[in-house]
Amino acid sequence: RGWAATPEGRGLLPQLLQFVTGSARVPVGGFAELVGFNGAKHPFTLSKGTHLTPESLPMAHACICTLDMPPYGDFEVCQAKLTQMLAMGRSHFDEAAGRTGDGA
């Protein structure tokens, strides 16, 4: 289910890893050897983004290899927001970028 089920989706996995960790490759020793920007080991972590809204995009903290996930209502919305986040790449850092509506 999800990205790993299709060849196109598997191409997104290195992008997700880079977004969360700063590197598109898993270290030689595996995920247990992930190192943050401060040089310390940090496990790949999905965190409940209680500070985010269901309209927000996921927020990464590459220094500690953590991805804050907003409280999405279902798998399809989650997958769409993750895909949107990766499509935007490094060119956008606007927290409001994933929101719908006029924002007024």
XYZ file of all heavy atoms in Angstrom:
768
model
N 0.852 -1.171 0.000
C 0.000 0.000 0.000
C 0.896 1.231 0.000
O 1.880 1.283 0.722
C -0.867 -0.052 1.256
C -1.737 1.138 1.432
C -2.719 0.892 2.550
N -3.255 2.162 2.970
C -4.275 2.303 3.752
N -4.860 1.242 4.236
N -4.707 3.473 4.080
N 0.553 2.193 -0.781
C 1.306 3.434 -0.768
C 2.414 3.483 -1.793
O 2.378 2.814 -2.811
N 3.421 4.295 -1.516
C 4.478 4.583 -2.469
C 5.252 3.362 -2.900
O 5.577 3.223 -4.063
C 5.454 5.577 -1.884
C 4.939 6.961 -1.803
C 3.898 7.511 -2.478
C 5.466 7.996 -1.008
N 3.743 8.802 -2.150
C 4.700 9.140 -1.236
C 6.522 8.055 -0.116
C 4.954 10.337 -0.612
C 6.762 9.257 0.509
C 5.993 10.378 0.255
N 5.617 2.512 -2.007
C 6.486 1.382 -2.341
C 5.801 0.382 -3.272
O 6.445 -0.505 -3.789
C 6.952 0.687 -1.069
N 4.508 0.537 -3.504
C 3.770 -0.395 -4.348
C 3.959 -0.121 -5.842
O 3.612 -0.958 -6.665
C 2.286 -0.355 -4.000
N 4.503 1.037 -6.209
C 4.674 1.386 -7.620
C 6.113 1.823 -7.882
O 6.779 2.347 -6.988
C 3.741 2.539 -8.026
O 4.138 3.722 -7.339
C 2.286 2.219 -7.717
N 6.591 1.649 -9.122
C 7.946 2.123 -9.450
C 8.093 3.639 -9.265
O 9.113 4.115 -8.779
C 8.123 1.733 -10.915
C 7.175 0.608 -11.137
C 6.006 0.883 -10.225
N 7.057 4.398 -9.649
C 7.111 5.859 -9.469
C 7.202 6.214 -7.993
O 7.931 7.108 -7.587
C 5.869 6.527 -10.077
C 5.691 6.317 -11.549
C 5.010 4.979 -11.886
O 4.312 4.408 -11.037
O 5.228 4.513 -13.013
N 6.439 5.493 -7.191
C 6.448 5.738 -5.757
C 7.775 5.417 -5.108
O 8.244 6.137 -4.236
N 8.399 4.331 -5.553
C 9.699 3.971 -4.991
C 10.732 5.062 -5.258
O 11.657 5.243 -4.481
C 10.160 2.616 -5.533
C 9.453 1.457 -4.849
C 10.055 0.119 -5.209
N 9.813 -0.277 -6.594
C 8.713 -0.875 -7.030
N 7.743 -1.151 -6.195
N 8.593 -1.207 -8.297
N 10.548 5.812 -6.338
C 11.441 6.929 -6.629
C 11.301 8.074 -5.645
O 12.209 8.896 -5.498
N 10.166 8.137 -4.940
C 9.945 9.194 -3.949
C 10.619 8.893 -2.611
O 10.869 9.802 -1.826
C 8.445 9.410 -3.718
C 7.649 9.945 -4.904
C 6.163 9.980 -4.565
C 8.141 11.326 -5.303
N 10.908 7.628 -2.346
C 11.481 7.261 -1.048
C 12.831 7.932 -0.776
O 13.039 8.441 0.330
C 11.556 5.740 -0.904
C 10.188 5.051 -0.859
C 10.360 3.533 -0.842
C 9.368 5.517 0.313
N 13.765 7.997 -1.751
C 15.007 8.725 -1.483
C 14.772 10.219 -1.240
O 15.461 10.829 -0.431
C 15.850 8.504 -2.749
C 15.301 7.282 -3.376
C 13.844 7.274 -3.034
N 13.766 10.782 -1.910
C 13.438 12.196 -1.680
C 12.924 12.407 -0.265
O 13.269 13.385 0.392
C 12.391 12.673 -2.681
C 12.870 12.755 -4.102
C 11.758 13.188 -5.030
O 10.945 14.044 -4.699
N 11.703 12.583 -6.204
N 12.084 11.475 0.192
C 11.575 11.565 1.562
C 12.717 11.445 2.563
O 12.805 12.228 3.519
C 10.537 10.471 1.812
C 9.965 10.414 3.227
C 9.191 11.678 3.558
C 9.074 9.190 3.381
N 13.607 10.502 2.324
C 14.751 10.331 3.215
C 15.603 11.601 3.249
O 16.020 12.046 4.313
C 15.580 9.126 2.768
C 16.735 8.725 3.685
C 16.219 8.339 5.068
C 17.525 7.585 3.067
N 15.833 12.211 2.083
C 16.623 13.438 2.038
C 15.914 14.571 2.763
O 16.538 15.345 3.488
C 16.918 13.852 0.604
C 17.625 15.193 0.544
C 18.711 15.239 -0.477
O 18.712 14.469 -1.411
N 19.630 16.150 -0.292
N 14.595 14.670 2.586
C 13.838 15.730 3.243
C 13.939 15.632 4.763
O 14.081 16.631 5.451
C 12.371 15.664 2.802
C 11.533 16.802 3.295
C 11.620 18.055 2.707
C 10.653 16.623 4.340
C 10.845 19.104 3.166
C 9.869 17.672 4.804
C 9.958 18.920 4.208
N 13.894 14.405 5.272
C 13.875 14.208 6.724
C 15.274 14.181 7.335
O 15.469 14.647 8.456
C 13.102 12.920 7.090
C 13.113 12.682 8.598
C 11.675 13.000 6.581
N 16.254 13.656 6.594
C 17.581 13.454 7.188
C 18.680 14.330 6.601
O 19.750 14.443 7.175
C 18.035 11.994 7.030
O 18.273 11.727 5.639
C 16.999 11.026 7.585
N 18.438 14.889 5.419
C 19.477 15.664 4.745
C 20.321 14.820 3.813
O 21.222 15.316 3.160
N 20.041 13.517 3.730
C 20.787 12.616 2.854
C 19.815 11.699 2.126
O 18.873 11.181 2.739
C 21.766 11.762 3.655
O 22.383 10.813 2.808
N 20.032 11.476 0.841
C 19.151 10.610 0.055
C 19.514 9.135 0.192
O 18.855 8.286 -0.387
C 19.196 11.020 -1.415
N 20.550 8.829 0.960
C 20.982 7.438 1.124
C 20.948 7.019 2.595
O 21.241 7.809 3.477
C 22.405 7.260 0.622
C 22.548 7.468 -0.835
C 23.928 7.069 -1.242
N 24.374 7.874 -2.363
C 25.547 7.788 -2.905
N 26.440 6.966 -2.426
N 25.863 8.533 -3.932
N 20.661 5.751 2.783
C 20.737 5.172 4.125
C 22.218 4.944 4.416
O 22.965 4.490 3.556
C 19.955 3.839 4.187
C 20.109 3.179 5.541
C 18.485 4.071 3.873
N 22.691 5.250 5.620
C 24.099 5.016 5.956
C 24.487 3.541 5.807
O 23.635 2.652 5.859
C 24.206 5.447 7.420
C 23.023 6.292 7.673
C 21.960 5.830 6.738
N 25.772 3.282 5.659
C 26.288 1.920 5.476
C 25.772 0.983 6.572
O 25.402 -0.147 6.306
C 27.836 1.922 5.446
C 28.383 0.507 5.447
C 28.326 2.686 4.233
N 25.694 1.424 7.785
C 25.245 0.579 8.890
C 23.738 0.509 9.047
O 23.241 -0.055 10.007
N 22.983 1.112 8.114
C 21.524 1.100 8.199
C 20.979 2.306 8.957
O 21.704 3.225 9.332
N 19.678 2.279 9.172
C 19.010 3.403 9.837
C 19.535 3.646 11.248
O 19.471 4.751 11.757
C 17.498 3.176 9.872
C 16.809 3.602 8.613
C 16.600 2.700 7.582
C 16.380 4.903 8.441
C 15.977 3.086 6.415
C 15.755 5.311 7.276
C 15.552 4.400 6.262
N 20.074 2.630 11.890
C 20.629 2.782 13.236
C 21.826 3.724 13.246
O 22.208 4.230 14.298
C 21.026 1.428 13.810
N 22.415 3.967 12.080
C 23.602 4.828 11.990
C 23.294 6.240 11.480
O 24.218 6.991 11.158
C 24.644 4.172 11.077
C 25.127 2.828 11.564
C 25.803 2.902 12.928
O 26.573 3.850 13.176
O 25.553 2.005 13.759
N 22.026 6.614 11.405
C 21.686 7.967 10.959
C 22.288 8.997 11.904
O 22.205 8.855 13.127
C 20.168 8.169 10.912
C 19.438 7.625 9.704
C 17.939 7.784 9.890
C 19.884 8.303 8.434
N 22.879 10.013 11.329
C 23.529 11.066 12.111
C 22.908 12.397 11.736
O 22.758 12.721 10.555
C 25.047 11.092 11.828
C 25.710 12.241 12.555
C 25.677 9.778 12.225
N 22.533 13.179 12.733
C 21.989 14.511 12.501
C 23.089 15.504 12.199
O 24.284 15.171 12.188
N 22.691 16.737 11.954
C 23.657 17.775 11.612
C 24.623 18.089 12.748
O 25.689 18.635 12.523
C 22.944 19.061 11.178
C 22.260 18.941 9.850
C 21.128 19.661 9.590
C 22.746 18.106 8.855
C 20.491 19.575 8.361
C 22.121 18.001 7.632
C 20.990 18.750 7.384
N 24.271 17.713 13.972
C 25.163 17.979 15.100
C 26.174 16.851 15.309
O 26.973 16.892 16.236
C 24.354 18.205 16.382
C 23.552 16.991 16.801
O 23.579 15.952 16.157
N 22.818 17.138 17.891
N 26.113 15.815 14.441
C 27.063 14.707 14.541
C 26.609 13.568 15.431
O 27.231 12.518 15.447
N 25.532 13.761 16.176
C 25.024 12.708 17.061
C 24.102 11.767 16.289
O 23.496 12.154 15.291
C 24.268 13.321 18.236
N 23.998 10.522 16.746
C 23.082 9.574 16.122
C 21.646 9.931 16.492
O 21.345 10.241 17.643
C 23.390 8.155 16.578
C 24.646 7.596 15.983
C 24.814 6.145 16.356
C 26.106 5.602 15.776
N 26.292 4.198 16.148
N 20.792 9.890 15.487
C 19.367 10.167 15.687
C 18.569 9.164 14.866
O 18.785 9.046 13.663
C 19.012 11.582 15.229
C 19.618 12.665 16.048
N 19.126 13.026 17.271
C 20.691 13.447 15.816
C 19.866 14.005 17.760
N 20.829 14.277 16.897
N 17.641 8.448 15.475
C 16.821 7.513 14.703
C 15.850 8.260 13.796
O 15.455 9.391 14.093
C 16.059 6.726 15.779
C 16.012 7.643 16.953
C 17.290 8.447 16.886
N 15.488 7.651 12.669
C 14.448 8.200 11.793
C 13.154 8.159 12.593
O 12.727 7.100 13.046
C 14.329 7.350 10.530
C 13.400 7.928 9.505
C 13.898 8.703 8.477
C 12.038 7.687 9.557
C 13.051 9.234 7.512
C 11.181 8.209 8.609
C 11.695 8.987 7.583
N 12.531 9.327 12.790
C 11.384 9.409 13.686
C 10.203 10.099 13.025
O 10.355 11.161 12.429
C 11.766 10.202 14.955
O 12.895 9.585 15.567
C 10.620 10.265 15.940
N 9.032 9.476 13.124
C 7.773 10.123 12.757
C 7.160 10.611 14.054
O 7.007 9.847 15.004
C 6.820 9.146 12.070
C 7.249 8.636 10.710
C 6.231 7.628 10.173
C 7.424 9.776 9.729
N 6.823 11.898 14.079
C 6.299 12.495 15.304
C 4.905 13.054 15.056
O 4.611 13.561 13.973
C 7.242 13.625 15.741
O 6.746 14.276 16.883
N 4.069 12.958 16.070
C 2.726 13.518 15.999
C 2.854 15.043 16.019
O 3.299 15.612 17.017
C 1.911 13.025 17.190
C 0.457 13.305 17.120
C -0.210 12.781 18.382
C -1.485 12.076 18.056
N -2.140 11.608 19.277
N 2.501 15.682 14.922
C 2.619 17.140 14.810
C 1.411 17.837 15.406
O 0.591 18.395 14.676
N 1.309 17.827 16.726
C 0.149 18.418 17.395
C 0.071 19.935 17.184
O -0.986 20.525 17.337
C 0.154 18.107 18.907
O 1.394 18.556 19.461
C 0.005 16.614 19.143
N 1.184 20.549 16.816
C 1.207 21.984 16.554
C 0.768 22.308 15.128
O 0.609 23.475 14.780
C 2.619 22.534 16.798
C 3.659 21.918 15.917
N 4.044 20.593 16.052
C 4.368 22.414 14.890
C 4.969 20.319 15.142
N 5.179 21.406 14.421
N 0.534 21.280 14.305
C 0.135 21.469 12.916
C -1.358 21.218 12.750
O -1.966 20.503 13.538
C 0.924 20.499 12.023
C 2.446 20.644 12.072
C 3.112 19.507 11.308
C 2.874 21.990 11.515
N -1.921 21.791 11.689
C -3.337 21.578 11.386
C -3.473 20.502 10.311
O -2.499 20.199 9.619
C -3.991 22.876 10.868
O -3.442 23.174 9.569
C -3.739 24.042 11.823
N -4.676 19.948 10.129
C -4.873 18.945 9.078
C -4.611 19.481 7.663
O -4.447 18.714 6.734
C -6.338 18.527 9.237
C -6.651 18.814 10.663
C -5.851 20.054 10.997
N -4.556 20.791 7.499
C -4.277 21.389 6.193
C -2.782 21.591 5.959
O -2.353 21.867 4.842
C -4.984 22.751 6.059
C -6.491 22.650 6.001
C -7.116 22.466 7.378
O -6.548 22.975 8.381
O -8.164 21.805 7.458
N -1.974 21.449 6.995
C -0.529 21.684 6.897
C 0.175 20.557 6.155
O -0.305 19.430 6.107
C 0.094 21.776 8.294
O -0.449 22.824 9.032
N 1.337 20.883 5.624
C 2.228 19.870 5.079
C 3.080 19.325 6.217
O 3.276 20.002 7.237
C 3.142 20.478 4.011
C 2.468 20.938 2.728
C 3.463 21.668 1.845
C 1.842 19.782 1.997
N 3.603 18.104 6.083
C 4.517 17.586 7.100
C 5.727 18.521 7.245
O 6.109 19.209 6.297
C 4.945 16.232 6.530
C 3.837 15.847 5.617
C 3.362 17.137 5.018
N 6.305 18.547 8.434
C 7.431 19.432 8.725
C 8.618 18.589 9.173
O 8.501 17.777 10.084
C 7.039 20.405 9.834
C 8.112 21.405 10.198
S 7.587 22.509 11.530
C 6.283 23.405 10.728
N 9.758 18.795 8.505
C 10.954 18.009 8.818
C 11.916 18.790 9.697
O 11.992 20.012 9.619
C 11.665 17.591 7.537
N 12.637 18.042 10.517
C 13.726 18.569 11.339
C 14.940 17.703 11.007
O 15.218 16.707 11.678
C 13.391 18.472 12.826
C 12.097 19.122 13.192
N 11.979 20.474 13.420
C 10.853 18.598 13.340
C 10.721 20.760 13.716
N 10.018 19.640 13.668
N 15.634 18.065 9.919
C 16.745 17.235 9.443
C 17.864 17.128 10.470
O 18.596 16.140 10.480
C 17.288 17.780 8.123
N 17.987 18.107 11.356
C 19.046 18.056 12.360
C 18.854 16.900 13.329
O 19.817 16.406 13.908
C 19.147 19.381 13.100
S 17.612 19.895 13.864
N 17.610 16.436 13.489
C 17.348 15.314 14.394
C 16.590 14.185 13.690
O 16.001 13.323 14.342
C 16.595 15.767 15.668
C 15.297 16.491 15.319
C 17.500 16.607 16.548
C 14.414 16.809 16.526
N 16.568 14.199 12.352
C 15.985 13.123 11.538
C 14.531 12.829 11.910
O 14.127 11.667 12.058
C 16.827 11.848 11.635
S 18.553 12.087 11.202
N 13.738 13.882 12.065
C 12.355 13.742 12.521
C 11.395 14.391 11.536
O 11.669 15.470 11.017
C 12.187 14.393 13.910
O 13.029 13.699 14.836
C 10.756 14.324 14.398
N 10.262 13.733 11.291
C 9.204 14.271 10.454
C 7.953 14.424 11.295
O 7.422 13.446 11.816
C 8.928 13.339 9.264
C 7.902 13.826 8.254
C 8.402 15.091 7.544
C 7.593 12.743 7.236
N 7.508 15.674 11.468
C 6.265 15.951 12.189
C 5.103 15.761 11.227
O 5.044 16.405 10.175
C 6.241 17.386 12.709
C 7.250 17.645 13.806
O 7.787 16.679 14.368
O 7.497 18.830 14.107
N 4.178 14.873 11.586
C 3.027 14.574 10.741
C 1.772 15.230 11.299
O 1.404 14.985 12.457
C 2.814 13.054 10.663
C 3.925 12.318 9.937
S 4.112 12.794 8.215
C 2.553 12.261 7.535
N 1.118 16.063 10.497
C -0.142 16.667 10.939
C -1.216 15.601 11.154
O -1.092 14.472 10.657
C -0.520 17.584 9.762
C 0.760 17.857 9.069
C 1.548 16.575 9.198
N -2.286 15.954 11.849
C -3.354 14.980 12.115
C -4.290 14.833 10.909
O -5.391 15.384 10.881
C -4.087 15.601 13.319
C -3.870 17.077 13.152
C -2.503 17.221 12.552
N -3.843 14.103 9.896
C -4.662 13.907 8.707
C -5.806 12.948 8.999
O -5.664 12.021 9.791
C -3.812 13.370 7.552
C -2.722 14.322 7.123
C -1.415 13.897 6.987
C -3.006 15.658 6.853
C -0.411 14.767 6.592
C -2.010 16.539 6.451
C -0.722 16.088 6.324
O 0.270 16.955 5.937
N -6.928 13.148 8.302
C -8.122 12.344 8.536
C -8.063 10.944 7.974
O -8.708 10.033 8.494
N -7.279 10.752 6.881
C -7.202 9.422 6.293
C -5.901 9.251 5.513
O -5.146 10.202 5.305
C -8.421 9.130 5.407
C -8.606 10.144 4.295
O -7.628 10.512 3.607
O -9.757 10.578 4.088
N -5.672 8.027 5.067
C -4.435 7.670 4.372
C -4.280 8.452 3.070
O -3.181 8.884 2.728
C -4.414 6.165 4.103
C -3.218 5.727 3.302
C -1.988 5.561 3.916
C -3.322 5.492 1.941
C -0.877 5.172 3.191
C -2.208 5.100 1.202
C -0.986 4.943 1.833
N -5.364 8.617 2.322
C -5.295 9.290 1.027
C -4.849 10.736 1.171
O -4.036 11.227 0.382
C -6.636 9.198 0.298
C -6.958 7.817 -0.234
C -7.337 6.804 0.856
O -7.787 7.211 1.956
O -7.158 5.598 0.603
N -5.360 11.444 2.176
C -4.942 12.834 2.419
C -3.475 12.860 2.827
O -2.696 13.683 2.339
C -5.825 13.502 3.508
C -5.262 14.856 3.906
C -7.253 13.643 3.022
N -3.066 11.945 3.680
C -1.674 11.858 4.115
C -0.745 11.642 2.919
O 0.261 12.337 2.759
C -1.521 10.740 5.134
S 0.165 10.516 5.729
N -1.098 10.699 2.071
C -0.275 10.408 0.903
C -0.215 11.617 -0.032
O 0.859 11.958 -0.542
C -0.825 9.191 0.172
C 0.050 8.740 -0.972
C -0.414 7.429 -1.584
O -1.558 7.006 -1.392
N 0.456 6.776 -2.301
N -1.335 12.290 -0.240
C -1.357 13.469 -1.111
C -0.495 14.595 -0.544
O 0.239 15.264 -1.289
C -2.799 13.941 -1.310
N -0.556 14.821 0.762
C 0.238 15.888 1.385
C 1.728 15.565 1.352
O 2.558 16.443 1.114
C -0.214 16.132 2.827
C -1.596 16.755 2.946
C -1.589 18.181 2.458
C -2.906 18.854 2.776
N -2.897 20.280 2.455
N 2.092 14.309 1.582
C 3.500 13.910 1.486
C 4.013 14.093 0.061
O 5.117 14.594 -0.156
C 3.683 12.458 1.923
C 3.669 12.204 3.428
C 3.532 10.720 3.712
C 4.910 12.772 4.082
N 3.204 13.709 -0.914
C 3.591 13.870 -2.313
C 3.729 15.347 -2.666
O 4.684 15.746 -3.339
C 2.564 13.177 -3.229
O 2.489 11.791 -2.866
C 2.960 13.290 -4.687
N 2.799 16.175 -2.194
C 2.876 17.616 -2.438
C 4.134 18.198 -1.806
O 4.840 19.000 -2.429
C 1.640 18.312 -1.872
C 1.645 19.812 -2.072
C 0.454 20.496 -1.424
O -0.341 19.861 -0.724
N 0.335 21.782 -1.638
N 4.433 17.786 -0.597
C 5.621 18.265 0.107
C 6.884 17.950 -0.700
O 7.741 18.811 -0.888
C 5.688 17.605 1.487
C 6.969 17.811 2.253
S 7.122 16.637 3.624
C 7.557 15.135 2.761
N 6.981 16.729 -1.208
C 8.165 16.337 -1.969
C 8.214 17.029 -3.329
O 9.292 17.369 -3.814
C 8.213 14.824 -2.137
C 8.422 14.056 -0.832
C 8.361 12.567 -1.084
C 9.723 14.451 -0.160
N 7.061 17.271 -3.946
C 7.029 17.960 -5.233
C 7.518 19.396 -5.090
O 8.150 19.948 -5.998
C 5.612 17.937 -5.805
N 7.245 19.992 -3.951
C 7.696 21.366 -3.717
C 9.201 21.406 -3.477
O 9.840 22.427 -3.697
C 6.938 21.971 -2.535
C 5.464 22.129 -2.825
S 4.548 22.671 -1.392
C 4.903 24.408 -1.473
N 9.740 20.300 -3.010
C 11.179 20.199 -2.829
C 11.750 21.231 -1.888
O 11.107 21.676 -0.942
N 12.961 21.629 -2.162
C 13.671 22.573 -1.295
C 13.324 24.016 -1.605
O 13.808 24.921 -0.956
C 15.170 22.397 -1.468
C 15.650 21.054 -1.031
C 17.126 20.938 -1.235
N 17.404 19.588 -1.677
C 18.395 19.244 -2.440
N 19.232 20.130 -2.882
N 18.564 18.000 -2.778
N 12.502 24.253 -2.617
C 12.250 25.627 -3.042
C 11.227 26.358 -2.182
O 11.085 27.562 -2.311
C 11.799 25.645 -4.499
O 10.581 24.939 -4.645
N 10.507 25.649 -1.321
C 9.476 26.297 -0.504
C 9.631 25.906 0.962
O 9.756 24.744 1.285
C 8.084 25.872 -0.970
C 7.742 26.378 -2.326
N 8.125 25.729 -3.464
C 7.071 27.477 -2.722
C 7.691 26.397 -4.515
N 7.052 27.464 -4.097
N 9.582 26.903 1.809
C 9.620 26.647 3.249
C 8.483 27.383 3.948
O 8.571 27.713 5.103
C 10.959 27.082 3.854
C 12.088 26.175 3.441
C 12.884 26.501 2.371
C 12.314 24.996 4.110
C 13.914 25.667 1.979
C 13.340 24.148 3.729
C 14.143 24.488 2.664
N 7.407 27.627 3.228
C 6.267 28.365 3.755
C 5.307 27.390 4.424
O 4.730 26.526 3.764
C 5.578 29.112 2.610
C 4.408 29.948 3.064
O 4.118 29.984 4.277
O 3.776 30.571 2.196
N 5.107 27.513 5.724
C 4.225 26.609 6.464
C 2.816 26.629 5.900
O 2.108 25.639 5.942
C 4.200 26.984 7.942
C 3.354 26.049 8.776
C 3.361 26.430 10.237
O 4.417 26.732 10.776
O 2.276 26.422 10.822
N 2.370 27.760 5.346
C 1.011 27.873 4.818
C 0.874 27.297 3.414
O -0.216 27.234 2.870
C 0.586 29.342 4.813
N 1.950 26.832 2.815
C 1.927 26.393 1.424
C 0.967 25.236 1.176
O 0.406 25.128 0.104
C 3.328 26.006 0.960
N 0.763 24.383 2.142
C -0.112 23.226 1.942
C -1.561 23.469 2.278
O -2.396 22.597 2.106
N -1.878 24.649 2.705
C -3.266 24.951 3.112
C -4.138 25.281 1.915
O -3.684 25.832 0.933
C -3.269 26.108 4.103
C -2.576 25.739 5.380
C -2.818 26.763 6.447
N -2.091 26.346 7.632
C -1.481 27.169 8.437
N -1.489 28.463 8.210
N -0.866 26.713 9.494
N -5.403 24.964 2.051
C -6.369 25.315 1.032
C -7.158 26.525 1.475
O -7.177 26.880 2.648
C -7.341 24.139 0.760
O -7.975 23.797 2.003
C -6.588 22.943 0.222
N -7.833 27.172 0.548
C -8.635 28.347 0.889
C -7.849 29.625 0.689
O -6.687 29.634 0.324
N -8.531 30.736 0.942
C -7.914 32.042 0.698
C -7.091 32.544 1.882
O -6.400 33.538 1.760
C -8.948 33.085 0.289
C -10.006 33.310 1.371
O -9.809 32.842 2.506
O -11.021 33.957 1.073
N -7.190 31.892 3.033
C -6.384 32.258 4.188
C -6.783 33.558 4.848
O -6.102 34.077 5.706
N -7.914 34.125 4.441
C -8.371 35.407 5.019
C -9.036 35.209 6.344
O -9.492 34.203 6.706
C -9.294 36.108 4.056
